[in-house]
Amino acid sequence: MTDPATSAPESELPGKPTAASRTTLSHIMSHNDTNLLGTVHGGVIMKLVDDAAGAVAGRHSGGAAVTASMDEMVFLEPVRVGDLVHVKAQVNWTGRSSMEIGVRVLAERWNESTPATQVGTAYLVFAAVGAEGRPRTVPPVIPETERDKRRYQEAQIRRTHRLARRRAIKELRDRRAAEGLSD
């Protein structure tokens, strides 16, 4: 495993521990949030996920950060009107100017004292940007717990897969263009 404290050699910024930017966003779901099936619309949950991840990315990077991609969004259980949704987000990994933010979505009934149930997960990549919209350097993340270290390692795997997929698609398109095939 790459040492997270030294994983961004281009960065002169001191590292920040995972807990420094971790956050939870909570929201009660109402009838305005429903889809045609009467459960909460996935897009509503995705917006909450993006909002929480954006707050974490901004905190960690110390300024503006924009969503570059949503690597994965998994819905595990439906969310209902009246559920209190908690969106928990943290930085899993950092590059030179990008950060992977991991998000867990939990739901509980607003009027019951039962434990929250995990209803979704997501991984987003954010890029830190300066005032002119150009990428800027982010501090390395320093995983603190064994769970943070596992998440850091898994984020490296996802990054490797994202880059390999992007490269393979580019090679395929280049090959098809060289053969005179167009879409």
Side-chain angles (χ1 to χ4, degrees):
M1 176 177 114
T2 305
D3 180 3
T6 61
S7 66
E10 305 91 6
S11 176
E12 298 296 324
L13 300 172
K16 285 186 176 181
T18 306
S21 57
R22 188 177 287 139
T23 193
T24 301
L25 177 111
S26 298
H27 187 78
I28 295 177
M29 298 290 105
S30 73
H31 70 280
N32 292 331
D33 301 317
T34 60
N35 58 27
L36 296 174
L37 299 175
T39 56
V40 172
H41 193 287
V44 171
I45 301 298
M46 290 173 79
K47 175 153 182 11
L48 294 173
V49 164
D50 190 50
D51 288 347
V56 167
R59 281 182 176 181
H60 183 81
S61 69
V66 296
T67 310
S69 69
M70 179 176 277
D71 198 43
E72 184 176 320
M73 177 79 214
V74 177
F75 297 99
L76 302 169
E77 298 283 336
V79 177
R80 302 171 293 162
V81 170
D83 281 354
L84 177 58
V85 172
H86 306 286
V87 182
K88 298 176 177 283
Q90 74 172 51
V91 176
N92 288 339
W93 175 90
T94 54
R96 189 184 61 74
S97 62
S98 63
M99 302 158 274
E100 182 193 271
I101 313 298
V103 181
R104 287 183 347 132
V105 183
L106 303 142
E108 62 180 301
R109 295 306 294 168
W110 69 273
N111 60 347
E112 297 175 7
S113 60
T114 56
T117 302
Q118 186 169 347
V119 296
T121 61
Y123 300 100
L124 297 89
V125 177
F126 274 75
V129 295
E132 68 291 341
R134 308 292 288 164
R136 62 181 175 79
T137 305
V138 299
V141 66
I142 303 170
E144 301 170 280
T145 66
E146 285 306 313
R147 177 184 237 179
D148 293 341
K149 291 173 186 173
R150 175 187 55 79
R151 291 174 72 136
Y152 185 91
Q153 291 173 315
E154 290 173 359
Q156 288 180 306
I157 293 168
R158 281 186 292 275
R159 180 175 188 271
T160 299
H161 286 239
R162 276 192 303 273
L163 294 174
R165 182 178 61 235
R166 188 177 306 149
R167 190 170 40 254
I169 290 170
K170 182 183 181 324
E171 288 170 3
L172 174 65
R173 289 179 179 175
D174 290 347
R175 191 169 56 249
R176 288 179 55 84
E179 294 170 359
L181 301 171
S182 62
D183 293 342

